[in-house]
Amino acid sequence: MSMDRTELRDSARKAFGASSATGDAAGNWAKLSEMGWFMMTVPEAQGGLGLGSEAHAIIHYELGRALVPGPVIAQMMLVEALAATGQSDLLDRAMAGGKMTASLALPTEDDVIEAVPDADVASHVLVTRQGAIRVVPLDRCTIAAQPTWDETRRLFDVRPPSASDGVVIAHGQAAEQLRTSLLLQMLLALSADSLGGAEAALAMTVDYLKTRRQFDRPLAMFQALKHRVADLKIAHSAAEALLWDRAAGRPSLALMGSLKTHCTEAFRLIAEDCIQLHGGIGLTQEHPCHLFFKRAMLNCALGGDAFHWEEIAGRAVMETTG
């Protein structure tokens, strides 16, 4: 990681610190806008900072670590689409923090677009279907809230008024390439978000084991618990190494899907074990353990579940080996 990347990570930790899940969502959004994170990957010629996918991963790692709520992943997908297609007016608004959104589900040809964060307060939604990508004003759409356990994200189903409504920003082959690029971005963001959350949950658990005492000794002194935490740390470190490798390269969709599956499953495993290692207090609503576990479970489902990406990876291997 270069010094610029280290500075980016340090500034994020200074800005958000520990968990913000129960904090001020509007305040967090304003802070993200002020720090210029929505223009992070936009080329400098278009008014952005021109940083690459590694910076993108660092941002989402730190947002996941602090459980920052809101539609940041969706906003950055829309910014990427506007920048790639030269939509200057909307791009300027989005980079300045004007809330826009996109689906965090796999693209389909259905009439209803699922898993759209904050659709009730965003101005536009990105629609990818029927061989085109469009930006549609949300005041023309039908919106229905979907209940979620994850308290850090609000998801909606969105039904655009017609297949031709909104501004077409790409169609045909260009739309297909952009659609793949946006999917890669979403998978990387979900992977990084998961490992940031896993790091925070594990650190919180280690601190608890050092503090809680039994038989006049800290729980952290018990050999069985040491081994269990070591296994979780190894799982996190292995997934993190894979994350930075994929973030610095140009992986295929199958490889990025495999990364997302591995990282989200590691987050789910670590969050679940952290609840158990906290004992009874970990099962209470007042303790933040459940916030990490719920975010982990939603991350497993968003962007395609493990079954979907394992099938894609299997087919890719079969095509390679004949």
Side-chain angles (χ1 to χ4, degrees):
M1 186 184 299
S2 69
M3 181 59 72
D4 287 343
R5 303 292 189 263
T6 304
E7 289 174 353
L8 178 58
R9 182 194 62 194
D10 291 346
S11 66
R13 295 196 176 185
K14 183 177 180 181
F16 292 101
S19 173
S20 303
T22 57
D24 177 16
N28 285 327
W29 190 263
K31 193 180 296 183
L32 287 166
S33 302
E34 292 168 4
M35 296 175 73
W37 284 9
F38 296 129
M39 60 179 71
M40 191 66 65
T41 58
V42 177
E44 293 181 71
Q46 293 177 278
L49 300 178
L51 298 178
S53 57
E54 188 181 5
H56 177 74
I58 291 169
I59 289 172
H60 288 289
Y61 188 101
E62 297 304 325
L63 295 178
R65 182 175 173 275
L67 285 181
V68 172
V72 184
I73 295 177
Q75 178 89 1
M76 290 189 173
M77 289 171 63
L78 201 139
V79 166
E80 177 82 8
L82 296 174
T85 55
Q87 302 294 318
S88 301
D89 291 342
L90 285 175
L91 177 61
D92 290 343
R93 286 174 54 186
M95 288 196 300
K99 194 170 286 187
M100 302 180 193
T101 189
S103 171
L104 298 184
L106 291 175
T108 69
E109 296 300 324
D110 294 340
D111 291 338
V112 177
I113 308 166
E114 298 178 328
V116 181
D118 282 24
D120 60 333
V121 293
S123 64
H124 294 76
V125 62
L126 193 70
V127 179
T128 62
R129 64 182 184 187
Q130 296 185 350
I133 296 181
R134 295 174 294 128
V135 178
V136 180
L138 273 161
D139 58 6
R140 303 179 192 171
C141 301
T142 303
I143 299 169
Q146 294 299 316
T148 61
W149 280 8
D150 181 4
E151 298 170 21
T152 65
R153 291 181 182 138
R154 301 181 308 116
L155 299 181
F156 297 79
D157 286 348
V158 174
R159 184 189 295 274
S162 72
S164 59
D165 203 56
V167 178
V168 176
I169 61 173
H171 56 81
Q173 185 64 27
E176 190 59 33
Q177 291 175 354
L178 180 57
R179 176 169 151 157
T180 300
S181 175
L182 295 176
L183 191 50
L184 288 170
Q185 184 189 58
M186 177 173 61
L187 294 171
L188 180 62
L190 288 169
S191 302
D193 182 275
S194 296
L195 294 186
E199 180 187 297
L202 189 54
M204 179 177 64
T205 303
V206 171
D207 286 344
Y208 175 76
L209 294 177
K210 289 178 179 177
T211 304
R212 184 78 165 87
R213 300 177 72 85
Q214 196 170 59
F215 303 117
D216 205 28
R217 302 170 62 194
L219 290 178
M221 296 296 291
F222 289 87
Q223 196 73 1
L225 297 183
K226 287 183 181 178
H227 287 178
R228 192 164 172 181
V229 170
D231 288 343
L232 297 179
K233 180 62 178 174
I234 290 170
H236 179 269
S237 297
E240 188 178 1
L242 187 61
L243 170 71
W244 299 126
D245 179 75
R246 298 279 164 85
R250 301 175 64 86
S252 66
L253 198 54
L255 287 176
M256 195 63 88
S258 300
L259 172 71
K260 185 265 176 183
T261 297
H262 186 73
C263 292
T264 53
E265 286 297 323
F267 187 18
R268 184 194 59 75
L269 169 70
I270 290 170
E272 186 175 357
D273 262 24
C274 286
I275 289 177
Q276 294 183 21
L277 287 165
H278 272 82
I281 192 174
L283 298 174
T284 62
Q285 184 73 15
E286 291 74 16
H287 197 276
C289 269
H290 69 98
L291 298 174
F292 290 97
F293 184 66
K294 291 170 180 173
R295 185 133 165 171
M297 294 298 289
L298 185 56
N299 279 0
C300 285
L302 294 175
D305 60 14
F307 178 80
H308 172 82
W309 289 113
E310 285 168 359
E311 181 183 9
I312 297 292
R315 291 183 183 278
V317 170
M318 291 177 65
E319 291 173 359
T320 302
T321 59

